[in-house]
Amino acid sequence: MADNLLNKNKGKRNLLERKEEVKPKQSFNRSTLYTVNESQQNDHDQKKEAPRKKEKSSTTTIRCATNTSHRLNALVTSFNLDSVNELLEILLDNYEASLTPDERREIKTLLEVYQRKSRK
């Protein structure tokens, strides 16, 4: 019986052995893979906006619904942003631009109050 078990695979073809050499359809090298097309670079530079001031600040956690969190992460991924914080800054800037001067002044005053409160 032991002989039958050892000789069981004699008639079958070994699937690990390849008959012919397999070659890729298209090959790449590092020089072609990591090069940047000049026209694409110019388009990318034009799309960039003025850099924002990088303030050294602490982070905080904001509670929101799971669905809201998923929507924020989807927008961050779709628009190739660095973080949810960057997305929120863009959204807040756009929203504040649509406010009346009186509403902007009120927001500015409240922001100063919150900043003074957090310094203490």
Side-chain angles (χ1 to χ4, degrees):
M1 177 146 180
D3 291 333
N4 287 340
L5 291 174
L6 293 175
N7 295 327
K8 185 176 183 179
N9 293 329
K10 271 194 174 179
K12 292 185 180 178
R13 187 181 82 144
N14 189 353
L15 297 177
L16 296 178
E17 292 178 13
R18 293 188 175 174
K19 299 289 182 185
E20 68 275 348
E21 186 177 338
V22 177
K23 292 186 180 180
K25 293 179 182 176
Q26 188 177 10
S27 62
F28 297 95
N29 60 24
R30 287 183 183 267
S31 61
T32 60
L33 190 61
Y34 293 110
T35 58
V36 176
N37 190 348
E38 291 296 326
S39 62
Q40 291 175 348
Q41 183 67 24
N42 292 337
D43 291 342
H44 182 64
D45 290 341
Q46 291 174 355
K47 290 179 184 177
K48 284 186 178 178
E49 296 179 7
R52 297 185 182 273
K53 283 193 252 178
K54 298 282 183 173
E55 294 181 9
K56 191 174 185 180
S57 61
S58 62
T59 60
T60 184
T61 302
I62 299 174
R63 291 185 183 191
C64 63
T66 305
N67 190 32
T68 304
S69 174
H70 293 319
R71 289 175 62 195
L72 288 170
N73 287 325
L75 287 170
V76 167
T77 304
S78 296
F79 294 112
N80 249 356
L81 300 175
D82 292 334
S83 64
V84 173
N85 188 49
E86 185 178 356
L87 172 67
L88 290 174
E89 286 180 6
I90 292 169
L91 294 173
L92 289 171
D93 289 344
N94 288 338
Y95 182 76
E96 288 174 356
S98 70
L99 297 175
T100 64
D102 290 336
E103 291 171 330
R104 280 189 221 148
R105 188 172 32 254
E106 183 180 352
I107 296 293
K108 184 179 178 184
T109 304
L110 286 170
L111 185 59
E112 289 173 358
V113 168
Y114 287 131
Q115 287 174 344
R116 273 191 238 130
K117 186 178 177 182
S118 68
R119 283 186 210 143
K120 291 181 180 181

